[in-house]
Amino acid sequence: MGVTYQAIDLTLGHAVALEVTMQVARALTAADAQGLVHRDLKPANLMLVDGPELTVKVIDFGLVKFTAMDSTERRDLTTHGFVGTPGFASPEQLEGQSEDVRSDLYSLGVTLWYMLMGSPPFTGSVANVISQHLLQQPPFESLATVPADVVAVLRAMLEKDKAKRIQTPSQLREALRPCAERLRAAEWAPAAPIRLEAVPRTKPPPSRGNAAESKIRSLARAPAPKLAGPDATFVRVALQRPAAARRGVRALGLATVSLFALNLLFAGGWLAFFAPHPFPR
Protein backbone atom coordinates (compact mmCIF):
# COMPACT_ATOMS: atom_id res chain seq x y z
CA MET A 1 0.00 0.00 0.00
CA GLY A 2 1.44 3.40 -0.96
CA VAL A 3 0.60 7.06 -0.75
CA THR A 4 1.14 9.75 -3.37
CA TYR A 5 4.04 12.08 -2.79
CA GLN A 6 1.77 15.12 -2.63
CA ALA A 7 0.02 13.68 0.41
CA ILE A 8 3.31 13.31 2.31
CA ASP A 9 4.65 15.94 4.66
CA LEU A 10 7.37 17.66 2.60
CA THR A 11 10.12 17.43 5.18
CA LEU A 12 11.92 14.35 3.87
CA GLY A 13 15.13 16.20 3.00
CA HIS A 14 16.91 17.01 -0.23
CA ALA A 15 18.53 13.58 -0.52
CA VAL A 16 15.16 11.82 -0.54
CA ALA A 17 13.81 14.25 -3.14
CA LEU A 18 16.76 13.43 -5.41
CA GLU A 19 16.28 9.71 -4.86
CA VAL A 20 12.62 10.01 -5.89
CA THR A 21 13.66 11.96 -9.00
CA MET A 22 16.24 9.36 -10.01
CA GLN A 23 13.75 6.52 -9.63
CA VAL A 24 11.23 8.39 -11.80
CA ALA A 25 14.00 8.95 -14.36
CA ARG A 26 14.55 5.18 -14.41
CA ALA A 27 10.83 4.70 -15.13
CA LEU A 28 11.04 7.29 -17.92
CA THR A 29 13.93 5.35 -19.44
CA ALA A 30 11.72 2.25 -19.66
CA ALA A 31 8.80 4.30 -21.02
CA ASP A 32 10.99 6.00 -23.63
CA ALA A 33 12.26 2.61 -24.78
CA GLN A 34 8.62 1.78 -25.59
CA GLY A 35 8.05 5.13 -27.30
CA LEU A 36 5.79 6.43 -24.51
CA VAL A 37 5.49 10.01 -23.15
CA HIS A 38 3.64 10.37 -19.86
CA ARG A 39 2.65 14.05 -20.34
CA ASP A 40 1.32 14.47 -16.79
CA LEU A 41 4.21 13.98 -14.40
CA LYS A 42 3.53 15.69 -11.07
CA PRO A 43 3.75 14.83 -7.36
CA ALA A 44 0.19 13.48 -7.27
CA ASN A 45 1.15 10.85 -9.86
CA LEU A 46 4.11 9.50 -7.92
CA MET A 47 3.41 6.62 -5.56
CA LEU A 48 5.74 5.88 -2.67
CA VAL A 49 5.41 2.19 -1.82
CA ASP A 50 5.64 1.11 1.82
CA GLY A 51 8.65 -1.08 2.50
CA PRO A 52 12.14 -1.23 4.00
CA GLU A 53 13.55 0.78 1.08
CA LEU A 54 12.27 3.83 -0.77
CA THR A 55 10.39 2.66 -3.87
CA VAL A 56 8.63 5.03 -6.28
CA LYS A 57 6.11 4.09 -8.92
CA VAL A 58 4.75 6.38 -11.65
CA ILE A 59 0.97 6.11 -11.96
CA ASP A 60 -1.84 7.54 -14.12
CA PHE A 61 -0.76 6.92 -17.69
CA GLY A 62 -4.19 8.05 -18.89
CA LEU A 63 -2.68 10.88 -20.95
CA VAL A 64 0.20 8.86 -22.33
CA LYS A 65 1.34 9.54 -25.88
CA PHE A 66 2.74 6.80 -28.13
CA THR A 67 5.45 8.47 -30.19
CA ALA A 68 5.86 5.48 -32.55
CA MET A 69 2.41 6.05 -34.05
CA ASP A 70 1.81 8.29 -36.99
CA SER A 71 -0.16 11.51 -36.59
CA THR A 72 -3.51 9.93 -37.51
CA GLU A 73 -3.17 7.13 -34.97
CA ARG A 74 -2.10 9.61 -32.26
CA ARG A 75 -5.20 11.73 -32.89
CA ASP A 76 -7.36 8.64 -32.40
CA LEU A 77 -5.57 7.66 -29.17
CA THR A 78 -5.31 11.02 -27.39
CA THR A 79 -7.45 14.10 -27.03
CA HIS A 80 -6.94 17.16 -29.21
CA GLY A 81 -5.17 20.30 -27.96
CA PHE A 82 -3.43 20.68 -24.58
CA VAL A 83 -3.52 17.76 -22.15
CA GLY A 84 -1.87 17.65 -18.77
CA THR A 85 -1.56 19.92 -15.74
CA PRO A 86 -0.56 23.53 -16.60
CA GLY A 87 1.52 24.00 -13.44
CA PHE A 88 3.80 21.07 -14.38
CA ALA A 89 3.61 21.10 -18.20
CA SER A 90 6.52 21.87 -20.54
CA PRO A 91 6.45 24.93 -22.84
CA GLU A 92 6.13 22.79 -25.97
CA GLN A 93 3.26 20.88 -24.38
CA LEU A 94 1.47 24.15 -23.54
CA GLU A 95 1.92 25.37 -27.12
CA GLY A 96 0.56 22.15 -28.61
CA GLN A 97 3.86 21.16 -30.21
CA SER A 98 5.19 17.61 -30.47
CA GLU A 99 6.32 16.10 -27.20
CA ASP A 100 8.96 13.52 -26.39
CA VAL A 101 10.78 12.35 -23.29
CA ARG A 102 12.37 15.81 -22.89
CA SER A 103 8.89 17.16 -22.15
CA ASP A 104 8.57 14.65 -19.30
CA LEU A 105 12.01 15.70 -18.05
CA TYR A 106 10.79 19.31 -17.85
CA SER A 107 7.74 18.18 -15.85
CA LEU A 108 10.01 16.11 -13.62
CA GLY A 109 12.12 19.23 -13.02
CA VAL A 110 9.02 21.12 -11.86
CA THR A 111 8.16 18.14 -9.64
CA LEU A 112 11.66 18.17 -8.14
CA TRP A 113 11.27 21.88 -7.43
CA TYR A 114 7.99 21.09 -5.67
CA MET A 115 9.62 18.39 -3.55
CA LEU A 116 12.46 20.71 -2.56
CA MET A 117 10.43 23.86 -1.86
CA GLY A 118 6.87 22.70 -1.19
CA SER A 119 5.37 24.53 -4.18
CA PRO A 120 6.00 24.71 -7.96
CA PRO A 121 8.12 27.55 -9.40
CA PHE A 122 5.13 29.28 -11.01
CA THR A 123 1.85 29.94 -9.22
CA GLY A 124 -1.27 32.00 -9.85
CA SER A 125 -4.16 31.68 -12.25
CA VAL A 126 -3.99 29.13 -15.06
CA ALA A 127 -3.36 31.90 -17.60
CA ASN A 128 -0.56 33.39 -15.51
CA VAL A 129 1.06 30.01 -14.94
CA ILE A 130 1.00 29.20 -18.66
CA SER A 131 2.47 32.61 -19.50
CA GLN A 132 5.28 32.15 -16.97
CA HIS A 133 6.15 28.69 -18.27
CA LEU A 134 6.40 30.11 -21.78
CA LEU A 135 8.10 33.45 -21.15
CA GLN A 136 9.68 33.74 -17.70
CA GLN A 137 12.63 32.08 -16.05
CA PRO A 138 11.92 30.21 -12.80
CA PRO A 139 12.85 32.15 -9.64
CA PHE A 140 16.13 30.33 -9.04
CA GLU A 141 17.09 32.97 -6.48
CA SER A 142 14.49 31.45 -4.15
CA LEU A 143 16.54 28.21 -3.99
CA ALA A 144 19.02 29.66 -1.52
CA THR A 145 18.71 26.61 0.76
CA VAL A 146 19.28 24.12 -2.07
CA PRO A 147 22.87 23.02 -2.89
CA ALA A 148 24.36 24.77 -5.91
CA ASP A 149 24.97 21.56 -7.85
CA VAL A 150 21.31 20.58 -7.49
CA VAL A 151 20.25 24.04 -8.69
CA ALA A 152 22.51 23.60 -11.72
CA VAL A 153 20.72 20.36 -12.63
CA LEU A 154 17.36 22.06 -12.16
CA ARG A 155 18.40 24.81 -14.57
CA ALA A 156 19.23 22.18 -17.19
CA MET A 157 15.90 20.42 -16.64
CA LEU A 158 13.83 23.61 -16.89
CA GLU A 159 15.28 25.07 -20.09
CA LYS A 160 12.53 26.56 -22.28
CA ASP A 161 14.22 25.23 -25.42
CA LYS A 162 14.10 21.44 -25.29
CA ALA A 163 17.25 21.28 -27.44
CA LYS A 164 19.16 22.90 -24.55
CA ARG A 165 17.51 20.74 -21.91
CA ILE A 166 18.87 17.50 -20.45
CA GLN A 167 18.19 15.13 -23.31
CA THR A 168 17.65 11.71 -21.74
CA PRO A 169 16.61 10.26 -18.37
CA SER A 170 19.97 8.48 -18.20
CA GLN A 171 21.78 11.81 -18.42
CA LEU A 172 19.60 13.13 -15.62
CA ARG A 173 20.42 10.18 -13.37
CA GLU A 174 24.13 10.60 -14.01
CA ALA A 175 23.91 14.30 -13.15
CA LEU A 176 21.95 13.69 -9.95
CA ARG A 177 23.85 10.68 -8.62
CA PRO A 178 26.87 12.56 -7.15
CA CYS A 179 24.55 15.20 -5.69
CA ALA A 180 22.42 12.54 -4.00
CA GLU A 181 25.43 10.66 -2.62
CA ARG A 182 26.89 13.81 -1.12
CA LEU A 183 23.55 14.83 0.41
CA ARG A 184 22.94 11.38 1.87
CA ALA A 185 26.36 11.44 3.50
CA ALA A 186 25.67 14.89 4.94
CA GLU A 187 22.14 14.19 6.19
CA TRP A 188 23.04 10.85 7.81
CA ALA A 189 26.38 11.92 9.28
CA PRO A 190 26.58 11.21 13.05
CA ALA A 191 26.29 14.20 15.28
CA ALA A 192 29.42 15.56 16.93
CA PRO A 193 30.06 14.01 20.37
CA ILE A 194 28.95 16.06 23.32
CA ARG A 195 31.86 17.38 25.38
CA LEU A 196 31.28 17.69 29.11
CA GLU A 197 33.37 20.37 30.76
CA ALA A 198 33.90 20.65 34.50
CA VAL A 199 32.36 23.76 35.97
CA PRO A 200 33.87 25.05 39.27
CA ARG A 201 31.42 25.01 42.13
CA THR A 202 30.60 28.40 43.53
CA LYS A 203 29.26 29.19 46.97
CA PRO A 204 25.80 30.74 47.01
CA PRO A 205 25.68 34.36 48.11
CA PRO A 206 24.76 34.88 51.77
CA SER A 207 21.19 35.70 52.54
CA ARG A 208 20.24 39.14 53.81
CA GLY A 209 19.70 37.82 57.31
CA ASN A 210 23.33 36.61 57.53
CA ALA A 211 24.93 39.60 55.87
CA ALA A 212 26.14 41.15 59.15
CA GLU A 213 27.44 37.81 60.42
CA SER A 214 29.29 37.17 57.17
CA LYS A 215 30.82 40.63 57.34
CA ILE A 216 32.04 40.03 60.90
CA ARG A 217 33.53 36.65 59.94
CA SER A 218 35.31 38.14 56.95
CA LEU A 219 36.77 40.86 59.16
CA ALA A 220 37.88 38.29 61.71
CA ARG A 221 39.68 36.30 59.01
CA ALA A 222 41.32 39.39 57.55
CA PRO A 223 45.02 39.87 58.47
CA ALA A 224 45.85 42.65 60.84
CA PRO A 225 47.06 45.80 59.11
CA LYS A 226 50.74 46.58 59.34
CA LEU A 227 51.18 50.30 59.92
CA ALA A 228 53.73 52.54 61.60
CA GLY A 229 53.62 55.85 63.41
CA PRO A 230 50.42 57.56 64.60
CA ASP A 231 48.31 55.42 62.28
CA ALA A 232 49.55 52.30 64.05
CA THR A 233 48.52 53.74 67.43
CA PHE A 234 45.09 54.63 66.07
CA VAL A 235 44.54 51.18 64.61
CA ARG A 236 45.72 49.47 67.80
CA VAL A 237 43.37 51.54 69.97
CA ALA A 238 40.47 50.92 67.56
CA LEU A 239 41.07 47.17 67.61
CA GLN A 240 41.31 47.14 71.42
CA ARG A 241 38.09 49.02 72.01
CA PRO A 242 35.78 46.00 71.72
CA ALA A 243 37.77 44.08 74.38
CA ALA A 244 37.74 47.04 76.74
CA ALA A 245 34.02 47.42 76.26
CA ARG A 246 33.48 43.76 77.12
CA ARG A 247 35.53 44.12 80.35
CA GLY A 248 33.47 47.16 81.37
CA VAL A 249 30.23 45.28 80.84
CA ARG A 250 31.45 42.39 83.03
CA ALA A 251 32.46 44.79 85.83
CA LEU A 252 29.12 46.54 85.73
CA GLY A 253 27.37 43.18 85.94
CA LEU A 254 29.35 42.13 88.98
CA ALA A 255 28.63 45.44 90.75
CA THR A 256 24.92 45.07 90.07
CA VAL A 257 24.86 41.54 91.52
CA SER A 258 26.78 42.65 94.62
CA LEU A 259 24.42 45.55 95.23
CA PHE A 260 21.42 43.25 94.88
CA ALA A 261 22.91 40.83 97.43
CA LEU A 262 23.52 43.65 99.94
CA ASN A 263 19.93 44.77 99.55
CA LEU A 264 18.72 41.28 100.32
CA LEU A 265 20.86 41.12 103.45
CA PHE A 266 19.66 44.50 104.62
CA ALA A 267 16.02 43.56 104.07
CA GLY A 268 16.51 40.32 105.97
CA GLY A 269 18.06 42.06 108.97
CA TRP A 270 15.27 44.62 109.08
CA LEU A 271 12.62 41.96 109.11
CA ALA A 272 14.42 40.04 111.79
CA PHE A 273 14.61 43.08 114.13
CA PHE A 274 11.21 44.67 113.70
CA ALA A 275 8.93 41.74 112.99
CA PRO A 276 6.67 40.67 115.98
CA HIS A 277 7.70 37.48 117.82
CA PRO A 278 5.37 35.01 119.57
CA PHE A 279 7.59 35.03 122.60
CA PRO A 280 8.70 38.14 124.49
CA ARG A 281 12.34 39.05 124.33
Side-chain angles (χ1 to χ4, degrees), residues 2-21 24 42-49 54-57 59 111-118:
V3 292
T4 57
Y5 197 95
Q6 195 172 20
I8 294 177
D9 185 14
L10 297 175
T11 56
L12 299 179
H14 295 166
V16 177
L18 296 189
E19 178 63 28
V20 170
T21 304
V24 175
K42 56 186 178 183
N45 285 340
L46 303 182
M47 181 76 70
L48 298 188
V49 181
L54 177 64
T55 303
V56 184
K57 292 186 179 296
I59 63 174
T111 300
L112 175 57
W113 188 299
Y114 182 97
M115 291 189 290
L116 293 172
M117 305 303 295

Side-chain angles (χ1 to χ4, degrees), residues 24-209:
V24 175
R26 185 185 302 118
L28 291 181
T29 299
D32 186 47
Q34 301 297 322
L36 301 177
V37 182
H38 190 282
R39 299 200 295 179
D40 197 23
L41 280 179
K42 56 186 178 183
N45 285 340
L46 303 182
M47 181 76 70
L48 298 188
V49 181
D50 295 336
E53 296 182 355
L54 177 64
T55 303
V56 184
K57 292 186 179 296
V58 181
I59 63 174
D60 195 2
F61 279 80
L63 300 180
V64 68
K65 173 184 175 181
F66 190 37
T67 57
M69 294 180 179
D70 59 27
S71 59
T72 303
E73 290 175 319
R74 287 198 297 268
R75 282 196 299 269
D76 294 337
L77 181 64
T78 62
T79 58
H80 298 283
F82 169 76
V83 292
T85 304
F88 294 86
S90 65
E92 61 269 21
Q93 186 178 356
L94 292 169
E95 290 181 331
Q97 300 177 7
S98 62
E99 306 111 330
D100 53 30
V101 70
R102 293 172 293 182
S103 179
D104 283 344
L105 291 176
Y106 183 96
S107 299
L108 183 54
V110 180
T111 300
L112 175 57
W113 188 299
Y114 182 97
M115 291 189 290
L116 293 172
M117 305 303 295
S119 62
F122 302 127
T123 57
S125 65
V126 174
N128 287 335
V129 169
I130 292 175
S131 174
Q132 292 174 85
H133 274 295
L134 293 175
L135 303 174
Q136 295 185 17
Q137 288 297 318
F140 291 107
E141 65 278 1
S142 65
L143 302 179
T145 59
V146 179
D149 50 357
V150 178
V151 176
V153 176
L154 269 174
R155 288 181 180 273
M157 297 175 72
L158 297 178
E159 283 284 353
K160 306 293 185 187
D161 185 356
K162 62 183 179 181
K164 299 178 181 180
R165 207 174 295 158
I166 290 181
Q167 297 295 293
T168 66
S170 298
Q171 290 180 0
L172 175 61
R173 292 179 62 194
E174 290 301 318
L176 287 179
R177 183 175 289 110
C179 303
E181 291 176 353
R182 182 178 56 78
L183 284 173
R184 275 195 298 268
E187 291 183 4
W188 289 98
I194 300 176
R195 298 181 61 185
L196 299 179
E197 297 181 358
V199 178
R201 298 178 62 182
T202 57
K203 295 182 179 180
S207 61
R208 292 185 177 180

Side-chain angles (χ1 to χ4, degrees), residues 218-226:
S218 63
L219 291 176
R221 290 192 297 267
K226 296 180 180 180

